[in-house]
Coordinates of all heavy atoms in Angstrom, one line a residue:
M1 N -71.4 -31.1 -6.7 CA -72.8 -30.9 -6.7 C -73.1 -29.3 -6.7 O -72.4 -28.6 -6.1 CB -73.4 -31.5 -5.4 CG -74.8 -31.5 -5.2 SD -75.5 -32.6 -6.5 CE -77.3 -32.2 -6.3
S2 N -74.1 -29.0 -7.4 CA -74.5 -27.5 -7.5 C -75.0 -27.0 -6.2 O -75.5 -27.8 -5.3 CB -75.5 -27.4 -8.6 OG -76.7 -28.1 -8.3
Q3 N -74.9 -25.7 -6.0 CA -75.4 -25.1 -4.8 C -76.9 -25.0 -4.8 O -77.6 -25.2 -5.8 CB -74.8 -23.7 -4.8 CG -73.4 -23.6 -4.6 CD -72.9 -22.1 -4.5 OE1 -73.6 -21.3 -4.9 NE2 -71.7 -22.0 -3.9
G4 N -77.4 -24.9 -3.6 CA -78.8 -24.7 -3.4 C -79.6 -26.0 -3.2 O -79.2 -27.1 -3.6
D5 N -80.7 -25.8 -2.5 CA -81.6 -27.0 -2.2 C -82.5 -27.2 -3.4 O -83.1 -26.4 -3.9 CB -82.5 -26.5 -1.0 CG -83.4 -27.6 -0.6 OD1 -83.2 -28.8 -0.9 OD2 -84.5 -27.3 0.1
K6 N -82.4 -28.5 -3.9 CA -83.2 -28.9 -5.0 C -84.5 -29.6 -4.7 O -85.1 -30.2 -5.6 CB -82.4 -29.8 -5.9 CG -81.0 -29.3 -6.3 CD -81.2 -28.0 -7.2 CE -79.8 -27.5 -7.7 NZ -79.8 -26.1 -7.8
S7 N -84.9 -29.5 -3.5 CA -86.1 -30.3 -3.0 C -87.4 -29.8 -3.6 O -88.4 -30.6 -3.7 CB -86.3 -30.2 -1.5 OG -86.4 -28.9 -1.0
K8 N -87.5 -28.5 -4.1 CA -88.6 -28.0 -4.7 C -88.8 -28.3 -6.2 O -89.7 -27.8 -6.8 CB -88.7 -26.5 -4.5 CG -88.9 -26.1 -3.0 CD -90.2 -26.6 -2.4 CE -90.4 -26.2 -1.0 NZ -91.5 -26.8 -0.3
Y9 N -87.8 -28.9 -6.7 CA -87.8 -29.2 -8.1 C -88.5 -30.6 -8.3 O -88.3 -31.5 -7.6 CB -86.4 -29.3 -8.7 CG -85.8 -27.9 -8.9 CD1 -85.1 -27.4 -7.8 CD2 -86.0 -27.1 -10.0 CE1 -84.6 -26.1 -7.9 CE2 -85.4 -25.9 -10.1 CZ -84.7 -25.3 -9.0 OH -84.2 -24.1 -9.1
T10 N -89.2 -30.7 -9.4 CA -90.0 -32.0 -9.7 C -88.9 -33.0 -10.3 O -87.9 -32.6 -10.7 CB -91.1 -31.8 -10.7 OG1 -90.5 -31.4 -12.0 CG2 -92.1 -30.8 -10.2
D11 N -89.3 -34.3 -10.3 CA -88.4 -35.3 -10.9 C -88.1 -35.0 -12.3 O -87.0 -35.1 -12.8 CB -89.1 -36.7 -10.7 CG -89.1 -37.2 -9.3 OD1 -88.3 -36.7 -8.5 OD2 -89.9 -38.1 -9.0
K12 N -89.1 -34.5 -13.1 CA -89.0 -34.2 -14.5 C -87.9 -33.0 -14.6 O -87.1 -33.1 -15.5 CB -90.3 -33.7 -15.1 CG -90.2 -33.4 -16.5 CD -91.5 -33.1 -17.1 CE -91.4 -32.8 -18.7 NZ -92.8 -32.6 -19.3
Q13 N -88.0 -32.0 -13.8 CA -87.0 -30.9 -13.8 C -85.6 -31.4 -13.5 O -84.7 -31.0 -14.1 CB -87.4 -29.8 -12.8 CG -88.6 -29.0 -13.3 CD -88.9 -28.0 -12.2 OE1 -89.2 -28.3 -11.0 NE2 -89.1 -26.7 -12.6
K14 N -85.5 -32.3 -12.5 CA -84.1 -32.9 -12.2 C -83.6 -33.7 -13.4 O -82.4 -33.6 -13.7 CB -84.3 -33.8 -10.9 CG -84.6 -33.0 -9.7 CD -84.8 -33.9 -8.5 CE -85.2 -33.1 -7.3 NZ -85.6 -33.9 -6.2
R15 N -84.4 -34.5 -14.0 CA -84.0 -35.3 -15.2 C -83.6 -34.3 -16.3 O -82.6 -34.5 -17.0 CB -85.1 -36.2 -15.8 CG -85.4 -37.4 -14.9 CD -86.2 -38.4 -15.7 NE -87.5 -37.9 -16.2 CZ -88.7 -37.7 -15.6 NH1 -88.8 -38.1 -14.3 NH2 -89.7 -37.2 -16.2
K16 N -84.4 -33.3 -16.5 CA -84.1 -32.3 -17.6 C -82.7 -31.7 -17.3 O -81.9 -31.6 -18.2 CB -85.1 -31.2 -17.5 CG -85.1 -30.1 -18.6 CD -86.2 -29.2 -18.4 CE -86.3 -28.2 -19.5 NZ -87.5 -27.3 -19.4
A17 N -82.4 -31.3 -16.1 CA -81.1 -30.7 -15.8 C -80.0 -31.7 -16.0 O -79.0 -31.3 -16.4 CB -81.1 -30.2 -14.3
E18 N -80.3 -32.9 -15.6 CA -79.2 -34.0 -15.8 C -78.9 -34.2 -17.3 O -77.7 -34.2 -17.7 CB -79.8 -35.3 -15.3 CG -78.8 -36.4 -15.0 CD -79.4 -37.6 -14.4 OE1 -80.0 -37.4 -13.3 OE2 -79.1 -38.7 -14.8
H19 N -79.9 -34.2 -18.2 CA -79.7 -34.3 -19.6 C -78.9 -33.2 -20.1 O -78.1 -33.4 -21.0 CB -81.0 -34.6 -20.4 CG -81.7 -35.9 -20.1 ND1 -81.1 -37.0 -20.5 CD2 -82.8 -36.2 -19.5 CE1 -81.8 -38.1 -20.1 NE2 -82.9 -37.6 -19.5
I20 N -79.3 -32.0 -19.7 CA -78.6 -30.7 -20.2 C -77.1 -30.8 -19.8 O -76.3 -30.5 -20.6 CB -79.4 -29.6 -19.7 CG1 -80.8 -29.4 -20.3 CG2 -78.6 -28.3 -20.0 CD1 -81.7 -28.3 -19.7
A21 N -76.9 -31.2 -18.5 CA -75.5 -31.2 -18.1 C -74.7 -32.2 -18.8 O -73.6 -32.0 -19.2 CB -75.5 -31.5 -16.6
E22 N -75.3 -33.4 -19.1 CA -74.6 -34.4 -19.9 C -74.2 -33.9 -21.3 O -73.1 -34.1 -21.8 CB -75.4 -35.7 -20.0 CG -75.5 -36.5 -18.8 CD -76.5 -37.7 -18.9 OE1 -77.0 -37.9 -20.0 OE2 -76.8 -38.3 -17.8
S23 N -75.1 -33.1 -21.8 CA -74.9 -32.6 -23.2 C -73.7 -31.6 -23.2 O -72.9 -31.6 -24.0 CB -76.1 -31.9 -23.7 OG -75.9 -31.3 -25.0
Y24 N -73.7 -30.8 -22.1 CA -72.6 -29.8 -22.0 C -71.3 -30.6 -21.8 O -70.2 -30.2 -22.4 CB -72.8 -28.9 -20.9 CG -73.6 -27.7 -21.2 CD1 -74.8 -27.4 -20.5 CD2 -73.3 -26.8 -22.2 CE1 -75.6 -26.3 -20.8 CE2 -74.1 -25.7 -22.5 CZ -75.2 -25.4 -21.8 OH -76.0 -24.4 -22.1
E25 N -71.3 -31.6 -21.0 CA -70.0 -32.4 -20.7 C -69.5 -33.0 -21.9 O -68.3 -33.1 -22.1 CB -70.3 -33.4 -19.6 CG -70.4 -32.8 -18.2 CD -70.8 -33.8 -17.1 OE1 -70.3 -34.9 -17.2 OE2 -71.5 -33.4 -16.2
K26 N -70.4 -33.5 -22.8 CA -70.0 -34.1 -24.0 C -69.3 -33.2 -25.0 O -68.4 -33.5 -25.8 CB -71.2 -34.7 -24.8 CG -71.7 -36.0 -24.3 CD -72.9 -36.5 -25.2 CE -73.5 -37.8 -24.6 NZ -74.6 -38.2 -25.3
R27 N -69.6 -31.9 -24.8 CA -69.0 -30.8 -25.6 C -67.8 -30.3 -24.9 O -67.2 -29.2 -25.4 CB -70.0 -29.7 -25.9 CG -71.1 -30.2 -26.8 CD -72.0 -29.1 -27.2 NE -73.2 -29.2 -26.3 CZ -74.1 -28.2 -26.1 NH1 -74.0 -27.1 -26.8 NH2 -75.1 -28.4 -25.3
G28 N -67.3 -30.8 -23.8 CA -66.1 -30.4 -23.2 C -66.1 -29.4 -22.0 O -65.1 -28.9 -21.6
V29 N -67.4 -29.1 -21.6 CA -67.5 -28.2 -20.5 C -67.3 -28.9 -19.2 O -67.7 -30.1 -19.0 CB -68.9 -27.6 -20.5 CG1 -69.1 -26.7 -19.3 CG2 -69.3 -26.8 -21.8
P30 N -66.5 -28.4 -18.3 CA -66.2 -29.0 -17.0 C -67.5 -29.4 -16.2 O -68.5 -28.7 -16.4 CB -65.4 -28.0 -16.2 CG -64.8 -27.1 -17.3 CD -65.8 -27.1 -18.4
E31 N -67.4 -30.4 -15.4 CA -68.6 -31.0 -14.9 C -69.4 -30.0 -14.0 O -70.6 -29.8 -14.1 CB -68.2 -32.1 -14.0 CG -69.4 -32.9 -13.3 CD -69.1 -34.1 -12.5 OE1 -67.9 -34.5 -12.5 OE2 -70.0 -34.6 -11.8
K32 N -68.6 -29.1 -13.2 CA -69.4 -28.2 -12.3 C -70.0 -27.1 -13.1 O -71.1 -26.6 -12.8 CB -68.4 -27.6 -11.3 CG -68.1 -28.4 -10.1 CD -67.3 -27.7 -9.0 CE -67.3 -28.5 -7.7 NZ -66.7 -27.7 -6.7
E33 N -69.3 -26.7 -14.1 CA -69.9 -25.6 -15.0 C -71.1 -26.1 -15.8 O -72.1 -25.4 -15.9 CB -68.7 -25.1 -16.0 CG -69.3 -24.1 -17.0 CD -69.6 -22.8 -16.5 OE1 -69.3 -22.4 -15.3 OE2 -70.3 -22.1 -17.3
A34 N -71.0 -27.4 -16.3 CA -72.1 -28.0 -17.0 C -73.3 -28.0 -16.1 O -74.5 -27.7 -16.5 CB -71.7 -29.3 -17.5
E35 N -73.2 -28.5 -14.9 CA -74.3 -28.6 -13.9 C -74.9 -27.2 -13.6 O -76.1 -27.0 -13.6 CB -73.8 -29.3 -12.6 CG -75.0 -29.7 -11.8 CD -74.6 -30.6 -10.6 OE1 -73.5 -31.2 -10.7 OE2 -75.4 -30.7 -9.7
A36 N -74.0 -26.2 -13.4 CA -74.5 -24.8 -13.1 C -75.4 -24.3 -14.3 O -76.4 -23.7 -14.2 CB -73.4 -23.9 -12.8
R37 N -74.8 -24.5 -15.5 CA -75.5 -24.1 -16.7 C -76.8 -24.8 -16.9 O -77.9 -24.2 -17.3 CB -74.7 -24.4 -18.0 CG -73.5 -23.5 -18.1 CD -72.9 -23.7 -19.5 NE -71.6 -23.0 -19.6 CZ -70.9 -23.0 -20.7 NH1 -71.3 -23.8 -21.8 NH2 -69.8 -22.4 -20.8
A38 N -76.9 -26.1 -16.6 CA -78.1 -26.9 -16.7 C -79.2 -26.4 -15.7 O -80.3 -26.2 -16.1 CB -77.8 -28.4 -16.4
W39 N -78.8 -26.1 -14.5 CA -79.8 -25.6 -13.6 C -80.3 -24.2 -13.9 O -81.4 -23.9 -13.7 CB -79.3 -25.7 -12.1 CG -79.4 -27.0 -11.6 CD1 -78.4 -27.9 -11.3 CD2 -80.6 -27.8 -11.3 NE1 -78.8 -29.2 -10.9 CE2 -80.2 -29.1 -10.9 CE3 -81.9 -27.5 -11.4 CZ2 -81.1 -30.1 -10.5 CZ3 -82.9 -28.5 -11.0 CH2 -82.4 -29.8 -10.6
A40 N -79.4 -23.4 -14.5 CA -79.8 -22.1 -14.9 C -80.8 -22.2 -16.1 O -81.8 -21.4 -16.2 CB -78.5 -21.3 -15.4
T41 N -80.6 -23.2 -17.0 CA -81.5 -23.4 -18.1 C -82.9 -23.8 -17.6 O -84.0 -23.4 -18.0 CB -81.0 -24.5 -19.0 OG1 -79.7 -24.0 -19.5 CG2 -81.9 -24.6 -20.3
V42 N -82.9 -24.7 -16.6 CA -84.2 -25.2 -16.0 C -84.9 -24.1 -15.3 O -86.1 -23.9 -15.5 CB -83.9 -26.4 -15.0 CG1 -85.2 -26.6 -14.2 CG2 -83.4 -27.6 -15.7
N43 N -84.1 -23.2 -14.7 CA -84.8 -22.1 -14.0 C -85.4 -21.1 -15.0 O -86.4 -20.5 -14.8 CB -83.8 -21.4 -13.1 CG -83.4 -22.1 -11.8 OD1 -84.3 -22.9 -11.4 ND2 -82.3 -21.9 -11.2
K44 N -84.6 -20.9 -16.1 CA -85.0 -20.0 -17.2 C -86.3 -20.5 -17.8 O -87.2 -19.8 -18.1 CB -83.9 -19.8 -18.2 CG -84.3 -19.0 -19.4 CD -83.2 -19.0 -20.5 CE -83.1 -20.4 -21.1 NZ -82.2 -20.4 -22.2
D45 N -86.4 -21.8 -18.0 CA -87.5 -22.4 -18.7 C -88.7 -22.5 -17.8 O -89.8 -22.2 -18.3 CB -87.2 -23.9 -19.2 CG -86.2 -23.9 -20.4 OD1 -86.0 -22.8 -21.0 OD2 -85.8 -25.0 -20.7
D46 N -88.5 -22.9 -16.6 CA -89.7 -23.2 -15.7 C -89.9 -22.3 -14.6 O -90.8 -22.4 -13.8 CB -89.4 -24.6 -15.1 CG -89.3 -25.7 -16.1 OD1 -89.8 -25.5 -17.2 OD2 -88.8 -26.8 -15.8
G47 N -89.0 -21.3 -14.4 CA -89.1 -20.3 -13.4 C -88.8 -20.9 -11.9 O -89.4 -20.5 -10.9
G48 N -88.0 -21.8 -11.9 CA -87.6 -22.4 -10.5 C -88.3 -23.7 -10.3 O -89.0 -24.3 -11.2
G49 N -88.3 -24.1 -9.0 CA -88.9 -25.4 -8.6 C -90.4 -25.3 -8.7 O -91.0 -24.3 -8.4
N50 N -91.1 -26.4 -9.1 CA -92.5 -26.4 -9.4 C -93.3 -27.2 -8.3 O -94.5 -27.4 -8.4 CB -92.8 -26.9 -10.7 CG -92.5 -26.0 -11.8 OD1 -92.4 -24.8 -11.6 ND2 -92.4 -26.5 -13.1
K51 N -92.6 -27.6 -7.2 CA -93.4 -28.3 -6.2 C -94.0 -27.3 -5.2 O -93.5 -26.1 -5.1 CB -92.4 -29.2 -5.4 CG -92.1 -30.5 -6.2 CD -91.4 -31.5 -5.2 CE -91.2 -32.8 -5.9 NZ -90.4 -33.6 -5.1
P52 N -95.1 -27.7 -4.6 CA -95.7 -26.8 -3.6 C -94.7 -26.2 -2.6 O -93.8 -26.9 -2.1 CB -96.8 -27.7 -2.9 CG -97.0 -28.8 -3.8 CD -95.6 -29.0 -4.5
G53 N -95.1 -25.0 -2.1 CA -94.3 -24.4 -1.1 C -93.5 -23.1 -1.5 O -93.0 -22.4 -0.7
G54 N -93.4 -22.9 -2.8 CA -92.7 -21.8 -3.3 C -93.6 -20.7 -3.8 O -94.7 -21.0 -4.2
S55 N -93.1 -19.4 -4.0 CA -94.0 -18.4 -4.4 C -94.3 -18.5 -5.8 O -95.3 -18.0 -6.3 CB -93.2 -17.0 -4.2 OG -92.0 -17.0 -5.0
G56 N -93.6 -19.3 -6.7 CA -93.9 -19.4 -8.1 C -94.7 -20.6 -8.4 O -95.0 -20.9 -9.5
Y57 N -95.1 -21.4 -7.4 CA -95.7 -22.6 -7.6 C -97.1 -22.4 -8.3 O -97.8 -21.6 -7.9 CB -95.9 -23.4 -6.4 CG -96.8 -24.7 -6.5 CD1 -96.3 -25.7 -7.3 CD2 -98.1 -24.8 -6.1 CE1 -97.0 -26.9 -7.5 CE2 -98.8 -26.0 -6.3 CZ -98.3 -27.0 -6.9 OH -99.0 -28.1 -7.2
G58 N -97.4 -23.2 -9.4 CA -98.7 -23.1 -10.0 C -98.8 -22.1 -11.0 O -99.8 -22.0 -11.8
K59 N -97.8 -21.2 -11.3 CA -97.8 -20.3 -12.4 C -97.3 -20.9 -13.7 O -96.3 -21.5 -13.7 CB -96.9 -19.1 -12.0 CG -97.4 -18.3 -10.8 CD -96.5 -17.1 -10.5 CE -97.0 -16.4 -9.3 NZ -96.0 -15.4 -8.9
K60 N -98.1 -20.6 -14.8 CA -97.7 -21.2 -16.1 C -96.6 -20.3 -16.6 O -96.7 -19.1 -16.6 CB -99.0 -21.1 -17.0 CG -98.7 -21.8 -18.3 CD -100.0 -21.8 -19.1 CE -99.9 -22.7 -20.4 NZ -98.7 -22.5 -21.1
T61 N -95.6 -21.0 -17.1 CA -94.4 -20.3 -17.7 C -94.5 -20.1 -19.2 O -93.9 -19.2 -19.8 CB -93.1 -20.9 -17.3 OG1 -93.1 -22.2 -17.8 CG2 -93.0 -20.9 -15.8
G62 N -95.0 -21.1 -19.8 CA -95.1 -21.2 -21.3 C -93.8 -21.7 -21.9 O -93.7 -22.0 -23.1
N63 N -92.7 -21.9 -21.1 CA -91.4 -22.3 -21.6 C -91.0 -21.7 -22.9 O -90.8 -22.5 -23.9 CB -91.4 -23.9 -21.7 CG -91.7 -24.6 -20.4 OD1 -91.6 -23.9 -19.3 ND2 -91.9 -25.8 -20.3
P64 N -90.8 -20.4 -23.0 CA -90.5 -19.8 -24.3 C -89.2 -20.3 -24.9 O -89.1 -20.4 -26.1 CB -90.5 -18.3 -24.0 CG -90.3 -18.2 -22.6 CD -90.9 -19.5 -21.9
A65 N -88.2 -20.6 -24.1 CA -86.9 -21.0 -24.6 C -87.0 -22.4 -25.3 O -86.3 -22.6 -26.2 CB -85.9 -21.0 -23.5
A66 N -87.9 -23.2 -24.7 CA -88.0 -24.6 -25.3 C -88.7 -24.6 -26.7 O -88.6 -25.5 -27.4 CB -88.8 -25.4 -24.3
H67 N -89.3 -23.4 -27.1 CA -90.0 -23.4 -28.3 C -89.4 -22.5 -29.4 O -89.6 -22.6 -30.6 CB -91.4 -22.8 -28.1 CG -92.2 -23.7 -27.2 ND1 -92.7 -24.9 -27.5 CD2 -92.6 -23.5 -25.9 CE1 -93.4 -25.5 -26.5 NE2 -93.3 -24.6 -25.5
K68 N -88.3 -21.8 -29.0 CA -87.7 -20.8 -29.9 C -87.0 -21.6 -31.0 O -87.1 -21.1 -32.1 CB -86.7 -20.0 -29.0 CG -86.1 -18.9 -29.8 CD -85.0 -18.3 -29.0 CE -85.4 -17.0 -28.5 NZ -84.3 -16.2 -27.8
G69 N -86.2 -22.6 -30.8 CA -85.5 -23.3 -31.8 C -86.3 -23.8 -32.9 O -85.9 -23.6 -34.1
G70 N -87.3 -24.5 -32.7 CA -88.2 -25.0 -33.7 C -88.8 -24.0 -34.5 O -88.9 -24.1 -35.8
E71 N -89.1 -22.9 -33.9 CA -89.8 -21.8 -34.7 C -88.7 -21.1 -35.7 O -89.1 -20.9 -36.8 CB -90.2 -20.7 -33.6 CG -90.9 -19.4 -34.3 CD -91.3 -18.5 -33.1 OE1 -91.8 -18.9 -32.1 OE2 -91.2 -17.3 -33.4
K72 N -87.5 -21.0 -35.2 CA -86.5 -20.4 -36.1 C -86.2 -21.4 -37.2 O -86.0 -21.0 -38.3 CB -85.3 -20.1 -35.3 CG -85.4 -18.9 -34.4 CD -84.1 -18.5 -33.8 CE -84.3 -17.2 -33.0 NZ -83.1 -16.6 -32.5
G73 N -86.1 -22.6 -36.9 CA -85.8 -23.6 -37.9 C -86.9 -23.7 -39.0 O -86.6 -23.8 -40.2
G74 N -88.1 -23.5 -38.5 CA -89.2 -23.6 -39.5 C -89.2 -22.4 -40.5 O -89.5 -22.5 -41.7
Q75 N -88.8 -21.2 -40.0 CA -88.7 -20.0 -40.8 C -87.6 -20.3 -41.8 O -87.8 -19.9 -43.0 CB -88.4 -18.8 -39.9 CG -89.6 -18.4 -39.1 CD -89.2 -17.4 -38.1 OE1 -88.0 -17.0 -37.9 NE2 -90.2 -16.7 -37.4
A76 N -86.5 -20.8 -41.4 CA -85.4 -21.0 -42.3 C -85.7 -22.0 -43.4 O -85.4 -21.8 -44.6 CB -84.1 -21.4 -41.6
S77 N -86.4 -23.1 -43.0 CA -86.7 -24.1 -44.0 C -87.8 -23.6 -44.9 O -87.7 -23.9 -46.1 CB -87.3 -25.3 -43.2 OG -87.6 -26.3 -44.1
A78 N -88.7 -22.8 -44.5 CA -89.8 -22.3 -45.4 C -89.2 -21.4 -46.5 O -89.9 -21.3 -47.5 CB -90.8 -21.7 -44.6
S79 N -88.2 -20.7 -46.2 CA -87.6 -19.7 -47.2 C -86.7 -20.5 -48.2 O -86.2 -19.8 -49.1 CB -86.8 -18.7 -46.4 OG -85.6 -19.2 -45.9
R80 N -86.5 -21.7 -48.1 CA -85.7 -22.5 -49.1 C -86.5 -23.3 -50.0 O -87.6 -23.6 -49.8 CB -84.7 -23.4 -48.3 CG -83.8 -22.6 -47.4 CD -82.8 -23.4 -46.6 NE -82.9 -24.8 -46.7 CZ -82.4 -25.6 -45.9 NH1 -81.9 -25.3 -44.7 NH2 -82.5 -27.0 -46.0
T81 N -85.9 -23.5 -51.3 CA -86.7 -24.3 -52.3 C -86.6 -25.8 -51.9 O -85.8 -26.2 -51.2 CB -85.9 -24.1 -53.6 OG1 -84.7 -24.7 -53.6 CG2 -85.9 -22.6 -54.0
P82 N -87.5 -26.6 -52.5 CA -87.5 -28.0 -52.2 C -86.2 -28.6 -52.6 O -85.6 -29.5 -51.9 CB -88.6 -28.5 -53.1 CG -89.5 -27.4 -53.2 CD -88.7 -26.2 -53.3
E83 N -85.5 -28.1 -53.7 CA -84.2 -28.7 -54.0 C -83.1 -28.4 -53.0 O -82.3 -29.3 -52.7 CB -83.8 -28.1 -55.4 CG -84.7 -28.6 -56.6 CD -85.9 -27.8 -56.7 OE1 -86.1 -26.7 -56.1 OE2 -86.9 -28.3 -57.3
Q84 N -83.2 -27.2 -52.4 CA -82.2 -26.9 -51.4 C -82.4 -27.7 -50.1 O -81.5 -28.2 -49.5 CB -82.3 -25.4 -51.0 CG -81.8 -24.5 -52.1 CD -82.1 -23.0 -51.8 OE1 -83.2 -22.7 -51.3 NE2 -81.2 -22.1 -52.2
R85 N -83.7 -27.9 -49.7 CA -84.0 -28.8 -48.6 C -83.6 -30.2 -48.8 O -83.0 -30.8 -47.9 CB -85.5 -28.7 -48.3 CG -85.9 -27.4 -47.7 CD -87.3 -27.4 -47.0 NE -88.3 -27.9 -47.9 CZ -89.1 -27.3 -48.6 NH1 -88.9 -25.9 -48.7 NH2 -90.0 -27.8 -49.4
S86 N -83.8 -30.7 -50.0 CA -83.3 -32.1 -50.3 C -81.8 -32.2 -50.2 O -81.3 -33.2 -49.7 CB -83.9 -32.4 -51.7 OG -83.5 -33.7 -52.0
A87 N -81.2 -31.3 -50.8 CA -79.7 -31.3 -50.8 C -79.2 -31.2 -49.4 O -78.2 -32.0 -49.0 CB -79.1 -30.1 -51.6
S88 N -79.8 -30.4 -48.5 CA -79.4 -30.3 -47.2 C -79.7 -31.7 -46.4 O -78.8 -32.1 -45.6 CB -80.2 -29.2 -46.5 OG -79.8 -29.1 -45.1
A89 N -80.8 -32.2 -46.7 CA -81.1 -33.5 -46.0 C -80.1 -34.6 -46.4 O -79.7 -35.4 -45.6 CB -82.5 -33.9 -46.4
K90 N -79.7 -34.6 -47.7 CA -78.7 -35.7 -48.2 C -77.4 -35.4 -47.5 O -76.7 -36.4 -47.1 CB -78.7 -35.6 -49.7 CG -79.9 -36.1 -50.4 CD -79.7 -35.9 -51.9 CE -81.0 -36.4 -52.6 NZ -81.0 -36.1 -54.0
K91 N -77.0 -34.1 -47.4 CA -75.7 -33.8 -46.8 C -75.7 -34.3 -45.3 O -74.7 -34.8 -44.8 CB -75.5 -32.3 -46.9 CG -74.1 -31.9 -46.4 CD -73.9 -30.4 -46.6 CE -72.6 -29.9 -46.0 NZ -72.4 -28.5 -46.0
A92 N -76.9 -34.0 -44.6 CA -76.9 -34.4 -43.2 C -76.9 -35.9 -43.0 O -76.2 -36.4 -42.1 CB -78.3 -33.8 -42.6
A93 N -77.6 -36.6 -43.9 CA -77.6 -38.1 -43.8 C -76.1 -38.6 -44.1 O -75.7 -39.6 -43.3 CB -78.5 -38.6 -44.9
E94 N -75.4 -38.0 -45.0 CA -74.1 -38.4 -45.2 C -73.1 -38.1 -44.0 O -72.3 -39.0 -43.6 CB -73.5 -37.7 -46.5 CG -72.1 -38.1 -46.8 CD -71.9 -39.5 -47.3 OE1 -72.9 -40.1 -47.6 OE2 -70.7 -40.0 -47.3
T95 N -73.3 -37.0 -43.3 CA -72.6 -36.6 -42.2 C -72.8 -37.6 -41.0 O -71.9 -38.1 -40.4 CB -72.9 -35.2 -41.8 OG1 -72.6 -34.3 -42.8 CG2 -72.2 -34.8 -40.5
R96 N -74.2 -38.0 -40.9 CA -74.5 -38.9 -39.8 C -73.9 -40.3 -40.1 O -73.3 -40.9 -39.1 CB -76.0 -39.1 -39.7 CG -76.7 -37.9 -39.0 CD -78.1 -38.3 -38.6 NE -78.9 -38.4 -39.8 CZ -79.6 -37.4 -40.5 NH1 -79.5 -36.2 -40.0 NH2 -80.4 -37.7 -41.5
R97 N -73.8 -40.7 -41.3 CA -73.3 -42.0 -41.8 C -71.7 -42.0 -41.5 O -71.2 -42.9 -40.8 CB -73.5 -42.3 -43.2 CG -73.0 -43.6 -43.6 CD -73.0 -43.9 -45.1 NE -72.2 -43.0 -45.9 CZ -70.9 -43.1 -46.0 NH1 -70.2 -44.1 -45.4 NH2 -70.2 -42.2 -46.7
K98 N -71.0 -40.9 -41.8 CA -69.6 -40.7 -41.6 C -69.3 -40.8 -40.0 O -68.3 -41.4 -39.6 CB -69.0 -39.5 -42.2 CG -68.9 -39.6 -43.7 CD -68.3 -38.3 -44.3 CE -68.2 -38.4 -45.7 NZ -67.7 -37.2 -46.3
N99 N -70.2 -40.0 -39.3 CA -69.9 -39.9 -37.8 C -70.1 -41.3 -37.2 O -69.5 -41.7 -36.3 CB -70.8 -38.9 -37.2 CG -70.4 -37.5 -37.5 OD1 -69.3 -37.3 -37.9 ND2 -71.3 -36.6 -37.3
K100 N -71.1 -42.0 -37.7 CA -71.4 -43.4 -37.1 C -70.2 -44.3 -37.4 O -69.8 -45.1 -36.6 CB -72.7 -44.0 -37.8 CG -73.1 -45.2 -37.1 CD -74.4 -45.7 -37.7 CE -74.9 -47.0 -37.0 NZ -76.2 -47.4 -37.5
E101 N -69.6 -44.2 -38.6 CA -68.5 -45.0 -39.0 C -67.3 -44.7 -38.1 O -66.6 -45.6 -37.6 CB -68.0 -44.8 -40.4 CG -68.9 -45.5 -41.4 CD -68.6 -45.1 -42.9 OE1 -67.6 -44.5 -43.1 OE2 -69.3 -45.6 -43.8
K102 N -67.1 -43.4 -37.8 CA -66.0 -43.0 -36.9 C -66.2 -43.5 -35.5 O -65.2 -44.0 -34.9 CB -66.0 -41.5 -36.8 CG -65.3 -40.8 -37.9 CD -65.2 -39.3 -37.6 CE -64.8 -38.5 -38.8 NZ -64.9 -37.0 -38.5
S103 N -67.4 -43.5 -35.0 CA -67.7 -44.0 -33.6 C -67.5 -45.5 -33.5 O -67.2 -46.0 -32.4 CB -69.1 -43.5 -33.1 OG -70.1 -44.1 -33.9
N104 N -67.8 -46.2 -34.6 CA -67.6 -47.7 -34.6 C -66.2 -48.2 -34.7 O -65.9 -49.2 -34.4 CB -68.4 -48.3 -35.7 CG -69.9 -48.2 -35.4 OD1 -70.3 -48.0 -34.3 ND2 -70.7 -48.3 -36.5
N105 N -65.3 -47.2 -35.1 CA -63.9 -47.6 -35.3 C -63.1 -47.5 -34.0 O -63.3 -47.0 -33.0 CB -63.2 -46.8 -36.3 CG -63.7 -47.3 -37.8 OD1 -64.3 -48.3 -37.9 ND2 -63.7 -46.4 -38.7

């Protein structure tokens, strides 16, 4: 279990940390390290626990980290031709199909 009292975190923040930790574990990160990274990410995104009683309660964070990826992806996509985007989509679909076949075997 990670250090620190988690009582000031909302249920949504706890779920978010759990999902992030699971993702790290799937990629081979040890459980304790994955949990520490997950809570660091929640703190970075939300500025800590959002329940009443803390100094940061009620302040809007804007969650900049949660929006950065889509913005960068949109810029990359916009700079490519329709043919390039189509080829990329076909390649991705083929990769997903192959990965699904692997996981079913």
Side-chain angles (χ1 to χ4, degrees):
M1 187 67 188
S2 60
Q3 293 181 341
D5 180 20
K6 304 296 182 214
S7 64
K8 295 295 181 188
Y9 289 87
T10 63
D11 289 340
K12 183 175 181 179
Q13 287 177 305
K14 291 174 185 175
R15 286 194 309 273
K16 184 177 183 179
E18 195 175 310
H19 288 296
I20 293 168
E22 286 173 9
S23 176
Y24 276 124
E25 287 175 33
K26 281 182 184 176
R27 290 183 267 165
V29 176
E31 186 178 351
K32 280 190 170 186
E33 173 69 15
E35 193 169 342
R37 287 185 189 184
W39 282 109
T41 303
V42 170
N43 287 334
K44 177 184 68 176
D45 286 352
D46 299 339
N50 285 341
K51 282 190 176 175
S55 62
Y57 176 67
K59 294 180 182 173
K60 187 175 185 324
T61 63
N63 298 347
H67 300 287
K68 186 187 256 184
E71 184 180 316
K72 288 188 172 191
Q75 290 171 352
S77 179
S79 68
R80 296 176 3 199
T81 66
E83 291 80 17
Q84 288 172 321
R85 288 197 306 271
S86 178
S88 179
K90 288 176 185 174
K91 184 178 176 185
E94 181 66 16
T95 300
R96 284 192 297 271
R97 186 187 62 76
K98 285 181 181 177
N99 287 343
K100 188 174 182 181
E101 285 177 4
K102 280 184 190 176
S103 66
N104 288 339
N105 290 336

